[in-house]
Amino acid sequence: MVLLCLSTGLQLAQAQDAGIDEVSGEREVASSNAITGSSKITGANSDAGANKGTLNFVDADIESVIAAVGDYTNTTFIIDPRVKGTVTLVSEKPLSKTQAFQLLTSVLRLRGYTVVSGNGYTKVVPEADAKLQASPLQSDQSGVRGDQIATQVFHLNFESANNLVAVLRPLISPNNTINANPGNNTLVVTDYADNLLRLGKIIAALDSPASSDLDVVPIRYAVAGDIAVMVNRLLEPGGTAAAGADPGRVSVLAYPRTNSVVVRAPSEARANLAKALITKLDQPTAQPGNVHVVYLKNAEATKLAQTLRAVVTLDSSANSSATASATPSPTSTSSTSTQTLLPSGGAAGFIQADPTTNTLIITASESVYRDLRTVIDQLDARRAQVYIESLIVEVDATKAAELGVQWAALSGNSSSNTRVGAVTGFSSGGNNLISQAAAKASGTLLAPGNGLSIGIFNQTGLGALIHAISSDNNSNILSMPNLITLDNEEAKIVVGQNVPFITGQYTTSASAGSAGVNPFQTVERKDIGLTLRVKPQISQGGTVRMAIYQETSDIDNTVSTGGAGLATTKRSLDTNVLVDDGQIIVLGGLIDDNMKDTIEKVPGLSDIPIIGGLFQYKTRTHVKRNLMVFLRPTIIRNNEQSASLAEDRYDYIRKEEITGQPEQPSMLPNSDFPNMDSPKLPLLQDGKMIGGPLAKKITPDAPANAQPALPQNPAPQQPAAAPQQ
């Protein structure tokens, strides 16, 4: 059948080129066992249909149809082995070669196959594999034709490529692809050529500049900040702080300088809706008067009232005293001090703070009130916090060594008239040979000091004492106090002991008729341990200025005070530093490095080579101290950062508690120790405690604010009935 179709197409092409009249007749192609229907190709050379032919394939083998059309259109087809089946291709009127090719591609598309044009040939492959073939690349909408797979790059000028992917993905066949390149804001689409034309028109309509016209609406009666908040809540639920809000929504921003609002909307209709709502809200108050109540969100009402009095008055002290006499307070003297006169065209007014509700009560005209609201809105902002992590490291190394030989000699015995003696004495206490001889003569014992002591004795007494000792004392003190505080607020942490110190004592004589005296002592208590005091101040550039005072103190038991009290060691640091957010700064360093050598010797004898060391006593001491303070401030500007920090610290201390759980004794049965777990924090997930005493007990069907029902006395349980046999 393939050979017959090829022969028919070749004869038709030759007849059309020669202009033979026989081509106008019909030529039927015999059917074989592979073709279930009839297949015909006819041609015409009339004036209206020159070089055109009629296709008539009914349930013909798809490979034969492709071969026949390829012979008719002078196109070389490469058919994928997976392209199988039959196809019906019928044209009602004569078609040109281009029209016949397009008709074939349309029929193949309906069967799940497509045509990919190459260099001098055309491939017929399944639609799913067409995007992997060398399809034509179109940089614009020119040159695309038919039901062929092609790739086109769309350059966007205004809209984001990532946003358009979600819009165009349903318009593309599932086997083809669309990808966004955020780097140059382009879309790469692989699809049928005619669909690329449609996508090009859609992209051109969507890639339009957003409405950038801004409308400034002056506010006559109300406050611009209040109007902006109200309009944002009414037009867009969630307001401006909604996470992931639609960028095309209406935005209303307050401009306090001119008491106006700026409206930005995606369309003119939405802008008119916002302006109409603003006009309805910007109305004079229904009740005449000049008393206004302002609820504060973050600032402290008492302190802010003092700041506002300094703003609206030239002499705050004089005006405060005048107001105290002109406008007495009905409550107390403290509330009267928060009142002040306002320069509102001669009309008297005042500013009063209510600490209970954290509000400001302002009596002033509308114009003065709007000016004050501008200041209040800027000062009543959420204050940033600073989380300070500190690492205090103190390394103390003390090394000491002693080595010496002492001699004693005495001639004769107790019956000798003349006796000659010599002795060398070094060091003190039990390490001194003279002290040892005196203790022996008195019949007492004097223990030598620590270390190695070797004595040589004879019948008459102690002959020599050798003492050697070496000590090495290293201490490493590590403290990690962490604290959090508001911007420009001082924070202090003390970890230690409160130790009493005697500051004075005296005795008083007893009164007449009583015996004895009355002793009396005065005691002062002081904190001994670690003290860290920090006051951070955040600048606009993100740096933190910190005023730091750090003190480490301890009781020194090695110092003898003769009963006058306790001796303490103290190391403090007081400085001001500037550090970036999240960076580590180091303070301190080497405190001291003290080395002391002491040599006690016998003149002359100690200088003799080799044996001179037997007449010497050497002592060496080396003390070295290092103190370093590492600080890292972290600025916390919103609730998300604060919650993340709290969860991190919470998880850390909970893991430490779990690690420190006591072990169950293996030699005892569990019944003797039913529960060896110490209390530990409950699990924290998404800012909520799961289990534990602070967790909310909420049933799945009960509302979040429902109160737990009181426990009731349970009804007595009836014994279960015996099962029936």
Side-chain angles (χ1 to χ4, degrees), residues 203-424:
I203 293 174
L206 296 177
D207 188 26
S208 60
S211 178
S212 59
D213 295 337
L214 302 177
D215 295 328
V216 179
V217 181
I219 305 300
R220 298 177 57 189
Y221 305 103
V223 179
D226 297 341
I227 293 292
V229 173
M230 181 64 66
V231 173
N232 280 324
R233 289 181 179 178
L234 293 177
L235 294 181
E236 295 292 339
T240 58
D246 183 8
R249 59 175 172 78
V250 178
S251 298
V252 181
L253 303 177
Y255 185 51
R257 184 174 178 271
T258 59
N259 195 38
S260 58
V261 294
V262 181
V263 180
R264 182 180 62 184
S267 62
E268 185 177 356
R270 297 283 289 174
N272 293 334
L273 177 61
K275 288 187 287 186
L277 182 59
I278 292 172
T279 304
K280 294 178 181 179
L281 295 176
D282 185 24
Q283 300 294 331
T285 56
Q287 298 179 356
N290 57 356
V291 180
H292 308 274
V293 179
V294 181
Y295 290 88
L296 302 179
K297 299 178 181 178
N298 303 285
E300 187 176 350
T302 304
K303 295 182 179 180
L304 186 56
Q306 298 175 359
T307 304
L308 294 177
R309 289 198 304 270
V311 172
V312 299
T313 58
L314 298 177
D315 188 359
S316 60
S317 60
N319 287 336
S320 298
S321 60
T323 305
S325 60
T327 311
S329 173
T331 56
S332 62
T333 307
S334 61
S335 62
T336 304
S337 62
T338 62
Q339 301 177 2
T340 182
L341 291 174
L342 298 180
S344 56
F350 65 90
I351 300 175
Q352 182 167 335
D354 184 13
T356 305
T357 58
N358 197 35
T359 56
L360 293 176
I361 303 174
I362 301 175
T363 302
S365 62
E366 290 291 338
S367 59
V368 176
Y369 171 69
R370 283 196 295 266
D371 294 339
L372 291 177
R373 277 300 304 270
T374 302
V375 180
I376 292 173
D377 292 341
Q378 294 180 0
L379 296 180
D380 188 29
R382 180 187 177 96
R383 296 177 60 183
Q385 301 181 89
V386 181
Y387 176 67
I388 302 172
E389 299 173 275
S390 59
L391 182 64
I392 303 173
V393 183
E394 181 180 353
V395 179
D396 189 355
T398 302
K399 296 182 179 181
E402 294 183 18
L403 178 61
V405 180
Q406 305 175 59
W407 299 92
L410 182 65
S411 62
N413 51 31
S414 58
S415 60
S416 300
N417 295 329
T418 302
R419 307 182 68 179
V420 179
V423 63
T424 58

Side-chain angles (χ1 to χ4, degrees), residues 20-195:
I20 303 175
D21 295 336
E22 287 81 3
V23 180
S24 60
E26 294 184 355
R27 203 166 29 246
E28 295 190 3
V29 181
S31 300
S32 64
N33 294 332
I35 302 178
T36 60
S38 61
S39 303
K40 293 183 180 180
I41 265 187
T42 59
N45 60 354
S46 61
D47 295 337
N51 298 329
K52 292 184 178 181
T54 302
L55 305 180
N56 188 7
F57 296 93
V58 178
D59 291 336
D61 183 69
I62 190 171
E63 295 183 0
S64 302
V65 176
I66 294 173
V69 175
D71 183 71
Y72 172 59
T73 59
N74 296 327
T75 303
T76 302
F77 284 100
I78 300 177
I79 304 175
D80 191 278
R82 291 170 291 180
V83 178
K84 300 292 184 181
T86 60
V87 67
T88 299
L89 183 59
V90 179
S91 61
E92 300 296 336
K93 58 181 180 179
L95 303 176
S96 63
K97 296 180 180 181
T98 302
Q99 294 173 342
F101 184 85
Q102 293 178 355
L103 182 60
L104 175 64
T105 57
S106 299
V107 173
L108 292 176
R109 180 177 178 179
L110 297 177
R111 299 302 302 269
Y113 306 118
T114 187
V115 175
V116 179
S117 299
N119 188 11
Y121 58 89
T122 302
K123 292 184 289 185
V124 181
V125 296
E127 182 182 302
D129 295 343
K131 58 180 176 289
L132 305 177
Q133 304 296 327
S135 57
L137 179 62
Q138 306 291 338
S139 59
D140 52 20
Q141 296 183 3
S142 62
V144 292
R145 57 186 178 85
D147 293 310
Q148 301 181 62
I149 293 294
T151 301
Q152 186 167 345
V153 179
F154 296 94
H155 295 272
L156 304 180
N157 298 321
F158 306 101
E159 188 58 59
S160 173
N162 291 326
N163 295 339
L164 285 185
V165 168
V167 177
L168 300 178
R169 177 69 264 183
L171 305 179
I172 299 174
S173 59
N175 292 326
N176 295 323
T177 60
I178 176 173
N179 296 301
N181 182 16
N184 55 0
N185 198 32
T186 57
L187 288 174
V188 181
V189 184
T190 300
D191 202 2
Y192 290 99
D194 54 355
N195 197 30

